[in-house]
Amino acid sequence: MKASDLFVQCLENEGVEYIFGIPGEENTDLIDSLIGSKIEFVLVHHEQAAAFMADVYGRLTGKPGVCLATLGPGATNLLTGIGDAYLDRSPVVAITGQAGLDRIHKESHQYVDIIGVFEKVTKWNQQIRVPKTIPEIIRKAFKVAVSEKPGAVHIELPEDIAMADTEGKPLQVTPIPLSCPDVAEIKKAAEIINRASKPIILAGNGVIRDKASESLRKFAEEKNIPVVNTFMSKGVLPSDHPLTLFTVGMQAKDYVLCGFDQADLIITIGYDFVEYLPKYWNDEAMNLIVHIDSLSAEVDEYYPLAAELVGNVGRAVELLSPHVEKKELWPGVKKLKAQLDEKLHADDEVSGSPVKPQRILADIKKAGKEEAIIISDVGAHKVWVARMYQPDQPNHTIISNGWASMGIAVPGAIAAKLAYPDKPVIAVTGDGGFLMNGVELATAKRLGLAFVVVIFHDSKFGLIEWKQLNKFNRTNDIQFKDPDFMEFAESFGAKGVKVKHSDELLPALKDALNSKEIVLIDVDVDYSENVKLSKTLGDYICKL
């Protein structure tokens, strides 16, 4: 058989349903081999979007998302999305074509060393040189992609290898065994927690990846320990849960840190340094750490370890629980919880034009009825999503945080809708981020998908404006002129809705979520309170 046919058989064996990408001359054989397969090829308009789709698909399903590009510029266009998957710990398998092996030893049209280019943003990175190794390479790629910590891997298939004759068959797919922490370390951690009078749990992305939200909730409830989540672990506790202290992650004075300042022990569960560096929440290294994660902790002077439980997050929490005594909820928690509830919802009903970001997010939650999957782009709106939007289910709010790349929202919404066609999906984006990959509305339309895009419209890179004002008290080169988004939506066969006043937003969102088509809602946003979101508000609450 042809090597590319064997390659596709191996992908089918791994359970691949979608490949996101763009055909090219050097991957023609692989594209041809997909004819008649169980795999649907999702043709996109830019390879970056293909990588973002694979990234979000991987985060939502736990199965590797797969993206495909040709050599040279096609491959390098994948890099931003691959980097996002690498730092956000999302399982992705990237496949690129390449020039034939007979010409890669010399200067050649479109040839650069893509293996070398991808080395720093992948967990594993391999060129296929011998056709019969395809089953081993693909099995290893998928195994490495999902192994803790998950991330992107890359396979390069040169065009002469793809068309070569070969023999072989896919290798058996075996589950990755779950590991457990050391018994002695479990007892040590329990003793430390039992001695503490004011512990706090910091829940990170690993809780979501290991599907450990229920184990975490039971542990927190049984032991009466409050929980703070990172941007990437939203929903580990419902937003109305009495033990949630909501989301931490601002680099400025973060008001959730008022609880950290009072605590005498931090129990980190599934926490990852790429989410929020320890120096931002333990700046004097005063709090000892009990670390619970799939891998041993990174070394950091602001992360003084008292105990480490290394293994599957859910199992580690369950094994620890019988050894930990129930606590009295310390008084500062109830006070901080009340203050956070008040401040996080103070402006939910604020009326006006342009619309406050707090009101936009409050209406999105009302319209989504706790079921919607939210894909947040990166920009000024992301700061408000991270702070104000509190979901009630885990893995229903996707934020690019480790890599923090603009342009992910629309491609991510496409992947979310393919992964969960019966769930409402809302892409939340700024106008700057939307224009980076908004062209993928054409892809969504071709696929017959229906989701909502909410644009926070301010005609500038608002987050950079905020940073410039804080640092220099002036701005430079951050404004731009947007197209007419109503006409933009219409040109792609989508529906456009303009919102200028807050009272128009909730009805527009409800109508959009009930629609069977793509709906783009363009909202004029008022970011005048950006600074208040972090330092001013944090200082205010910590003084209460």
Side-chain angles (χ1 to χ4, degrees):
M1 78 180 83
K2 195 164 65 168
S4 60
D5 293 337
L6 177 59
F7 197 106
V8 170
Q9 288 180 19
C10 291
L11 294 179
E12 289 178 322
N13 184 60
E14 297 290 341
V16 175
E17 296 178 287
Y18 302 100
I19 296 177
F20 308 98
I22 295 180
E25 183 178 351
E26 284 73 15
N27 61 24
T28 299
D29 285 273
L30 188 56
I31 294 292
D32 185 73
S33 293
L34 287 171
I35 296 174
S37 78
K38 300 174 184 177
I39 300 170
E40 180 178 351
F41 183 74
V42 178
L43 178 67
V44 302
H45 292 276
H46 194 287
E47 292 89 351
Q48 182 189 104
F52 279 143
M53 291 176 195
D55 173 14
V56 173
Y57 185 88
R59 278 184 63 176
L60 287 173
T61 66
K63 301 183 296 183
V66 182
C67 54
L68 173 70
T70 189
L71 82 173
T76 56
N77 280 347
L78 289 175
L79 267 175
T80 297
I82 296 305
D84 195 80
Y86 180 69
L87 283 189
D88 279 359
R89 317 307 190 195
S90 176
V92 166
V93 175
I95 303 164
T96 62
Q98 184 53 283
L101 295 178
D102 60 340
R103 64 184 178 98
I104 65 174
H105 64 287
K106 57 187 176 183
E107 293 182 2
S108 185
H109 176 66
Q110 285 194 310
Y111 171 73
V112 294
D113 178 11
I114 295 298
I115 294 292
V117 171
F118 275 43
E119 181 180 3
K120 299 300 183 181
V121 290
T122 53
K123 293 180 66 182
W124 188 64
N125 187 22
Q126 181 63 50
Q127 182 187 73
I128 297 175
R129 301 186 184 97
V130 180
K132 69 178 182 179
T133 63
I134 287 173
E136 290 183 349
I137 288 173
I138 291 182
R139 178 79 281 270
K140 181 173 180 177
F142 278 79
K143 186 174 183 178
V144 171
V146 297
S147 298
E148 284 290 333
K149 292 179 178 175
V153 300
H154 168 232
I155 302 172
E156 182 177 81
L157 181 61
E159 60 178 335
D160 55 347
I161 298 298
M163 66 179 70
D165 290 330
T166 191
E167 295 181 355
K169 61 180 181 179
L171 301 183
Q172 181 181 357
V173 176
T174 55
I176 295 181
L178 299 182
S179 58
C180 294
D182 179 73
V183 173
E185 200 70 9
I186 289 173
K187 293 180 179 179
K188 178 183 176 183
E191 290 173 0
I192 294 167
I193 297 170
N194 289 337
R195 288 197 301 267
S197 58
K198 298 179 180 180
I200 282 183
I201 293 170
L202 173 58
N205 190 19
V207 176
I208 302 291
R209 291 198 308 269
D210 281 0
K211 298 179 174 60
S213 298
E214 184 65 16
S215 299
L216 170 64
R217 183 188 61 78
K218 288 181 179 179
F219 179 77
E221 290 175 350
E222 289 174 4
K223 312 310 173 187
N224 230 4
I225 301 175
V227 177
V228 175
N229 61 263
T230 62
F231 291 1
M232 296 176 69
S233 61
K234 282 176 170 288
V236 291
L237 290 187
S239 61
D240 60 353
H241 197 285
L243 289 173
T244 183
L245 294 179
F246 306 111
T247 304
V248 73
M250 299 294 185
Q251 292 184 14
K253 183 62 178 179
D254 196 324
Y255 51 80
V256 176
L257 297 187
C258 307
F260 282 64
D261 291 344
Q262 300 172 48
D264 58 4
L265 179 69
I266 310 296
I267 307 167
T268 62
I269 303 181
Y271 160 73
D272 197 312
F273 280 29
V274 300
E275 299 184 77
Y276 188 44
L277 281 174
K279 71 176 182 179
Y280 294 128
W281 53 268
N282 200 23
D283 59 346
E284 296 181 4
M286 293 179 61
N287 286 311
L288 289 178
I289 309 295
V290 170
H291 172 89
I292 304 174
D293 197 23
S294 57
L295 297 180
S296 183
E298 174 68 278
V299 175
D300 189 293
E301 65 176 305
Y302 299 99
Y303 200 72
L305 289 169
E308 282 190 275
L309 305 189
V310 178
N312 175 266
V313 171
R315 293 187 70 179
V317 171
E318 291 165 5
L319 291 170
L320 173 66
S321 185
H323 302 278
V324 176
E325 301 165 358
K326 186 169 184 175
K327 303 283 182 183
E328 288 291 332
L329 191 63
W330 38 290
V333 172
K334 291 183 179 180
K335 181 179 179 182
L336 178 57
K337 168 75 171 174
Q339 293 163 357
L340 292 175
D341 276 327
E342 176 189 352
K343 289 300 173 185
L344 289 174
H345 298 292
D347 295 318
D348 283 1
E349 304 297 331
V350 65
S351 181
S353 176
V355 188
K356 298 286 188 183
Q358 304 98 304
R359 174 64 183 270
I360 299 175
L361 294 172
D363 283 0
I364 285 174
K365 185 168 183 181
K366 289 176 186 175
K369 298 179 180 178
E370 302 178 5
E371 289 294 320
I373 296 175
I374 305 299
I375 313 293
S376 175
D377 219 303
V378 174
H381 72 282
K382 172 193 163 182
V383 180
W384 291 91
V385 172
R387 167 60 67 239
M388 298 293 179
Y389 187 79
Q390 304 298 336
D392 294 302
Q393 295 188 56
N395 213 24
H396 276 58
T397 304
I398 302 297
I399 298 177
S400 172
N401 195 49
W403 190 256
S405 175
M406 296 177 70
I408 193 173
V410 172
I414 292 171
K417 202 64 184 177
L418 290 173
Y420 295 104
D422 296 330
K423 283 189 174 287
V425 173
I426 305 174
V428 180
T429 181
D431 42 0
F434 174 77
L435 287 173
M436 291 184 179
N437 278 313
V439 67
E440 298 302 334
L441 290 182
T443 303
K445 185 69 177 179
R446 179 172 11 97
L447 294 171
L449 303 179
F451 56 83
V452 180
V453 180
V454 178
I455 298 178
F456 286 54
H457 190 167
D458 65 343
S459 299
K460 57 191 170 187
F461 291 114
L463 185 58
I464 304 305
E465 178 189 48
W466 177 12
K467 298 290 185 180
Q468 288 179 343
L469 287 171
N470 282 341
K471 190 171 184 178
F472 303 113
N473 200 31
R474 64 182 181 225
T475 65
N476 186 43
D477 290 337
I478 45 88
Q479 293 183 319
F480 47 81
K481 182 175 177 57
D482 283 315
D484 184 321
F485 287 123
M486 301 303 95
E487 293 184 2
F488 186 98
E490 184 180 351
S491 71
F492 286 94
K495 179 181 178 181
V497 178
K498 180 66 182 179
V499 170
K500 295 184 177 181
H501 193 280
S502 55
D503 294 344
E504 303 165 359
L505 180 57
L506 187 57
L509 284 166
K510 289 181 176 179
D511 288 345
L513 287 169
N514 288 325
S515 176
K516 301 298 183 183
E517 60 182 331
I518 304 164
V519 180
L520 187 154
I521 302 177
D522 177 20
V523 187
D524 291 338
V525 64
D526 176 7
Y527 279 138
S528 61
E529 296 182 12
N530 268 354
V531 175
K532 178 184 172 183
L533 177 66
S534 56
K535 190 176 191 313
T536 305
L537 188 51
D539 287 342
Y540 171 75
I541 286 186
C542 287
K543 290 174 183 177
L544 291 178

